């Protein structure tokens, strides 16, 4: 157990819908990262927050947004969902940006 | 841009034997970090080992060691005394220098390791 929690574990929804994925970092970790793992694209970085502020952005679609709250938990919002958004979404956390990232169990999203 | 290459889509090893999983990387930055993660069939990503570009010695963590050859830009993972529970997908990853693009991880394609009894 990495200490990073993600909810829900599984999510099945329809095209065009909006979902919110939640992540609680390890105790004391200030940095949160979101990654997407799909069969065709592999593991891809989406976005990073540090102590509530956006720190770096990857190839995150405009339909996707995220934020980190004062209690350091983070949410990833996916809207206007398409079939191609089906993937395993990971949250990771680290105490500081240059330290080891520990991953949560992931949220498996299936868009039908 | 940073790039990680894992050329072995699948590897097989006998239980109790050692196995080496290959990883090469490409970067123009002098400061970088290299990681290995394990992903069992259940899906979670488990951190195994880390090597910093300025570390003088190869990293070791229990049965895992990292064969770091800076001049060849390779960071191979060595698993000694393989166990059935080592069967999983293994990913090599590089951390971007924070100064330029945060500290995202760039992952390779992964190597599926199967340990045979």
């Amino acid at each position: 157990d990495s200490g990073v929690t993600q909810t829900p574990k599984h999510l099945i929804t329809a095209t065009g819908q909006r979902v919110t994925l939640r992540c609680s970092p390890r105790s004391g970790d200030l940095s949160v990262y979101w990654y997407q793992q799909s069969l065709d694209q592999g593991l891809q970085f989406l976005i990073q927050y540090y102590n509530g502020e956006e720190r770096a952005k990857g190839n995150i679609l405009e339909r996707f947004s995220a934020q980190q709250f004062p209690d350091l938990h983070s949410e990833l919002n996916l809207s206007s969902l398409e079939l191609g958004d089906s993937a395993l979404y990971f949250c990771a956390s680290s105490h500081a940006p240059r330290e080891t990232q520990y991953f949560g169990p992931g949220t498996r999203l299936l868009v039908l | 841009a940073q790039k990680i290459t894992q050329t072995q889509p699948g590897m097989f090893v006998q239980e109790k034997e050692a196995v080496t999983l290959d990883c090469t990387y490409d970067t123009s930055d002098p400061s970088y970090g290299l990681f290995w993660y394990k992903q069992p069939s259940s899906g979670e990503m488990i951190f195994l080992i880390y090597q910093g570009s300025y570390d003088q010695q190869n990293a070791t963590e229990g049965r895992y060691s990292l064969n770091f050859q800076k001049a060849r830009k390779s960071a191979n993972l060595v698993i000694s005394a393989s166990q059935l529970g080592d069967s999983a997908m293994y990913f090599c990853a590089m951390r971007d220098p924070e100064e330029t693009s945060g500290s995202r991880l760039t992952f390779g394609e992964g190597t599926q390791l199967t340990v045979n009894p």
Side-chain angles (χ1 to χ4, degrees):
Chain A
D1 187 344
S2 67
V4 180
T5 61
Q6 288 187 250
T7 56
K9 277 193 171 180
H10 302 275
L11 201 46
I12 302 175
T13 188
T15 55
Q17 295 298 304
R18 174 190 168 94
V19 297
T20 297
L21 313 184
R22 184 189 166 102
C23 166
S24 292
R26 295 186 318 158
S27 177
D29 283 0
L30 300 177
S31 259
V32 168
Y33 312 77
W34 287 96
Y35 293 87
Q36 178 195 59
Q37 185 179 31
S38 61
L39 283 174
D40 54 343
Q41 304 258 16
L43 265 159
Q44 295 224 320
F45 168 77
L46 295 178
I47 197 163
Q48 174 195 357
Y49 282 85
Y50 177 71
N51 205 18
E53 295 196 1
E54 184 183 302
R55 193 67 174 255
K57 233 173 182 176
N59 293 328
I60 187 168
L61 299 171
E62 283 193 16
R63 301 184 284 108
F64 296 2
S65 64
Q67 59 184 125
Q68 186 180 26
F69 295 86
D71 67 352
L72 301 177
H73 91 271
S74 178
E75 292 180 358
L76 178 67
N77 300 296
L78 316 176
S79 61
S80 303
L81 284 166
E82 301 175 359
L83 297 178
D85 297 327
S86 296
L88 184 53
Y89 290 85
F90 284 110
C91 168
S93 75
S94 66
H95 181 67
R98 293 185 66 77
E99 295 187 9
T100 296
Q101 296 177 29
Y102 293 89
F103 282 70
T107 293
R108 199 172 292 273
L109 173 67
L110 180 59
V111 183
L112 299 174
Chain B
Q2 316 236 6
K3 186 174 170 60
I4 294 282
T5 302
Q6 294 180 253
T7 57
Q8 307 154 315
M11 287 284 285
F12 294 86
V13 65
Q14 286 299 121
E15 198 176 4
K16 299 179 187 174
E17 299 287 313
V19 63
T20 298
L21 306 184
D22 293 343
C23 171
T24 58
Y25 60 91
D26 188 21
T27 181
S28 56
D29 295 292
S31 176
Y32 50 88
L34 295 157
F35 300 80
W36 278 90
Y37 287 86
K38 171 186 178 181
Q39 186 175 36
S41 57
S42 51
E44 72 266 33
M45 292 285 286
I46 302 166
F47 165 71
L48 296 178
I49 196 166
Y50 165 77
Q51 180 83 44
S53 59
Y54 293 120
D55 293 344
Q56 295 296 313
Q57 298 204 334
N58 287 344
T60 61
E61 287 285 350
R63 294 186 299 111
Y64 304 108
S65 61
L66 209 151
N67 184 0
F68 182 47
Q69 298 187 44
K70 200 169 179 177
R72 299 180 62 182
K73 292 190 174 179
S74 74
N76 299 337
L77 177 70
V78 181
I79 305 175
S80 62
S82 296
Q83 302 172 356
L84 296 178
D86 294 335
S87 293
M89 183 74 89
Y90 288 80
F91 290 97
C92 180
M94 173 181 286
R95 181 185 58 216
D96 280 10
E98 186 190 351
E99 296 77 22
T100 57
S101 55
S103 47
R104 72 185 73 189
L105 294 177
T106 299
F107 287 86
E109 301 274 321
T111 295
Q112 180 69 48
L113 176 67
T114 302
V115 180
N116 294 317

